[in-house]
Amino acid sequence: HGAMARRHFATAALAAFLGFGTQPAAYAAADREAGHFALCHGAGRLTCVVDGDTFWYRGDKIRIADINAPEVSHPSCAHEAALGVRATGRLLALLNQGTFSLEAGNRDRDRYGRLLRTVTRGGASVGETLVREGLAEEWKGYRGDWCRA
């Protein structure tokens, strides 16, 4: 997973250089965001999960910048719909596991006005966890095809 692996290596190398080692506990003190997330429904969305790569946090709609997850609102096939439900549930669980950080990248917002952020916990990308588990793909600038045979 090219860019993610390089970014993770660079983060670990910087932490080692600064004397933190590569222990997740070294990053944990920096993780200050937390919320009680539920699945989004209705109009009043403050802190909830929309799908596997989009959530609301304290009234801001956030698109996870380093991944693309299957669609749940307009899936292209039954496989994408089922995988999208699994990715949504997993993101919900990951966000509710404890504190995390929201890291801004090169762009602040996407074309839909959502904040673009990489979600990390202990210095590791939450999105990368979804990719590793087969519930998302690394963002490559466009939506992938979840319906390929």
Side-chain angles (χ1 to χ4, degrees):
H1 303 282
M4 279 190 210
R6 286 190 301 276
R7 189 167 47 248
H8 180 70
F9 176 79
T11 301
L14 177 62
F17 175 75
L18 294 175
F20 292 119
T22 57
Q23 307 249 345
Y27 296 101
D31 292 335
R32 291 189 167 86
E33 306 296 334
H36 177 71
F37 290 84
L39 294 177
C40 293
H41 64 280
R45 297 180 174 194
L46 291 175
T47 300
C48 60
V49 174
V50 175
D51 60 23
D53 58 24
T54 307
F55 62 97
W56 286 82
Y57 180 59
R58 298 180 177 172
D60 290 320
K61 192 171 189 181
I62 298 173
R63 169 68 160 77
I64 300 178
D66 59 342
I67 63 166
N68 177 57
E71 296 299 317
V72 292
S73 58
H74 300 290
S76 298
C77 64
H79 175 71
E80 181 176 19
L83 201 57
V85 168
R86 287 179 49 212
T88 302
R90 183 64 172 130
L91 178 59
L92 177 67
L94 288 167
L95 289 172
N96 280 325
Q97 276 182 354
T99 58
F100 57 90
S101 295
L102 296 172
E103 300 176 9
N106 295 336
R107 291 177 40 214
D108 189 55
R109 295 185 182 269
D110 68 4
R111 63 183 173 171
Y112 304 108
R114 300 175 294 189
L115 293 172
L116 292 171
R117 299 293 183 267
T118 300
V119 181
T120 61
R121 174 174 292 119
S125 166
V126 168
E128 191 173 319
T129 300
L130 292 167
V131 170
R132 203 172 39 253
E133 295 175 359
L135 299 173
E137 63 187 0
E138 186 174 337
W139 179 248
K140 49 189 181 276
Y142 56 89
R143 277 187 61 197
D145 181 1
W146 296 100
C147 300
R148 291 186 304 252

